[in-house]
Amino acid sequence: MIEMKRTSIIKPMSGWFDIHLGELLKCGDLIFLFVKRDFIAIYKQTILGPIWFLLQPLMSTLVFTIVFGFVAQLSTDGIPHALFYLSGIICWFYFSECLLKTSETFITNRDLFGKVYFPRLTIPISIVITNLITFGIQFLLLLIFLIYYYFQGYPITINWKLALLPLLVIQMAALGLGCGIIVSSLTTKYKDLQFLLKFGIQLWMYATPIVYPISIIPVKWHWVILLNPMSAIVETFRNVLTGAGRIDMGMLGLSAGMTLFLLIAGLILFSRIEKTVMDTV
């Protein structure tokens, strides 16, 4: 009896949307290895280690409280300064880290890409998951602050809005992934984008209601808020946890639509660029 051996055939990709989800699903172990590698590498040679996960948002919250809360005296819609800034900061940290790290996919992994074949999208996905772990730790810190202010008399209620939290996290991950892989694809030919990205992220942060509520923005400038998909995410996230502000479903729906568009556009561009990436990186 002749024994039949299973073989895998690797074919060149030619379509506009050559993202083989079946391959990605089979690469769960590989994604886990990348997540483990990235998570350990970040703080392996630091003195404080994972404590930086907590120090970063805490220090940023302290600075924002002093500068924007006490000196500039910007409104926080009645929310304690620490809760207001911390809730916005951990959202922004998650999104910006996903964007920044995925934008370096081709540059930082060019040696690995040149040695062995595997679905290239596994690396951006592993980055999003790695940053999700960091977000989870920082979210626990926010919960500690919420509990503290609850016992101090700040009105915090548990209601149906909490069901929106997982959807908001997924949307932040999708937005960071979509924008990141768009930039990573373009930087294979236009290296200047990598230098402009960090500056652009800083500007984007101040165009997002991190240090101020949407309520203080003049109505004539609300169109700017509508063009920023992170605005609805941060405002909704803050409302779900603190009850301040409001949930604008129209604004949130527009944000979700823009996120989906950027993600699909990123996947299409990524699938096209990865075919010739070793010739351009």
Side-chain angles (χ1 to χ4, degrees):
M1 183 175 180
I2 300 176
E3 182 180 353
M4 301 296 292
K5 294 183 179 180
R6 180 178 297 178
T7 59
S8 297
I9 301 175
I10 300 175
K11 299 180 179 179
M13 297 180 292
S14 58
W16 276 99
F17 197 71
D18 287 312
I19 301 295
H20 300 291
L21 297 179
E23 283 189 350
L24 288 175
L25 294 176
K26 294 177 182 178
C27 292
D29 292 340
L30 181 60
I31 293 175
F32 173 77
L33 288 176
F34 284 139
V35 170
K36 183 179 179 181
R37 178 199 67 175
D38 295 340
F39 188 78
I40 294 176
I42 294 174
Y43 299 104
K44 186 175 182 180
Q45 295 181 339
T46 61
I47 297 175
L48 297 179
I51 296 178
W52 282 112
F53 288 140
L54 303 178
L55 286 181
Q56 287 175 323
L58 281 175
M59 289 188 294
S60 297
T61 298
L62 178 61
V63 172
F64 286 176
T65 299
I66 295 173
V67 175
F68 299 104
F70 297 153
V71 178
Q73 296 185 347
L74 293 180
S75 170
T76 59
D77 281 347
I79 308 174
H81 289 96
L83 286 182
F84 183 87
Y85 296 123
L86 186 59
S87 59
I89 285 170
I90 66 171
C91 286
W92 184 257
F93 275 4
Y94 180 50
F95 162 72
S96 62
E97 283 297 302
C98 288
L99 170 54
L100 188 60
K101 295 294 177 61
T102 55
S103 70
E104 301 170 349
T105 297
F106 289 124
I107 294 176
T108 58
N109 296 279
R110 57 177 175 263
D111 293 336
L112 182 60
F113 288 166
K115 293 178 180 178
V116 63
Y117 170 79
F118 60 91
R120 308 311 191 199
L121 199 58
T122 55
I123 289 183
I125 291 174
S126 70
I127 291 172
V128 169
I129 296 174
T130 301
N131 287 315
L132 183 60
I133 298 173
T134 305
F135 175 81
I137 295 173
Q138 294 174 347
F139 185 76
L140 291 176
L141 176 65
L142 177 59
L143 288 180
I144 293 174
F145 273 81
L146 285 169
I147 293 171
Y148 169 78
Y149 279 105
Y150 173 77
F151 285 107
Q152 293 296 313
Y154 183 79
I156 295 176
T157 58
I158 299 176
N159 52 43
W160 66 270
K161 295 179 182 179
L162 290 175
L164 293 175
L165 284 179
L167 300 178
L168 294 174
V169 174
I170 292 173
Q171 186 175 344
M172 282 189 286
L175 183 60
L177 177 63
C179 293
I181 58 179
I182 288 175
V183 175
S184 70
S185 300
L186 295 177
T187 50
T188 59
K189 291 186 178 180
Y190 309 104
K191 301 295 191 296
D192 304 53
L193 289 176
Q194 199 63 40
F195 299 104
L196 293 174
L197 181 60
K198 292 184 179 180
F199 178 68
I201 288 178
Q202 289 181 338
L203 291 180
W204 194 343
M205 187 192 77
Y206 287 108
T208 305
I210 306 294
V211 299
Y212 55 84
I214 291 181
S215 60
I216 71 170
I217 300 175
V219 176
K220 66 178 181 179
W221 294 110
H222 277 195
W223 65 271
V224 178
I225 296 298
L226 292 176
L227 292 176
N228 180 2
M230 276 299 294
S231 295
I233 296 174
V234 172
E235 191 76 359
T236 304
F237 184 85
R238 193 175 276 145
N239 176 274
V240 168
L241 294 175
T242 66
R246 66 190 181 92
I247 297 178
D248 188 328
M249 297 306 295
M251 184 177 175
L252 195 58
L254 179 61
S255 173
M258 294 175 67
T259 299
L260 183 60
F261 172 78
L262 289 170
L263 179 60
I264 294 175
L267 291 174
I268 293 174
L269 186 59
F270 190 90
S271 68
R272 297 296 297 176
I273 294 296
E274 68 170 320
K275 302 171 188 177
T276 58
V277 65
M278 297 312 301
D279 298 326
T280 56
V281 174

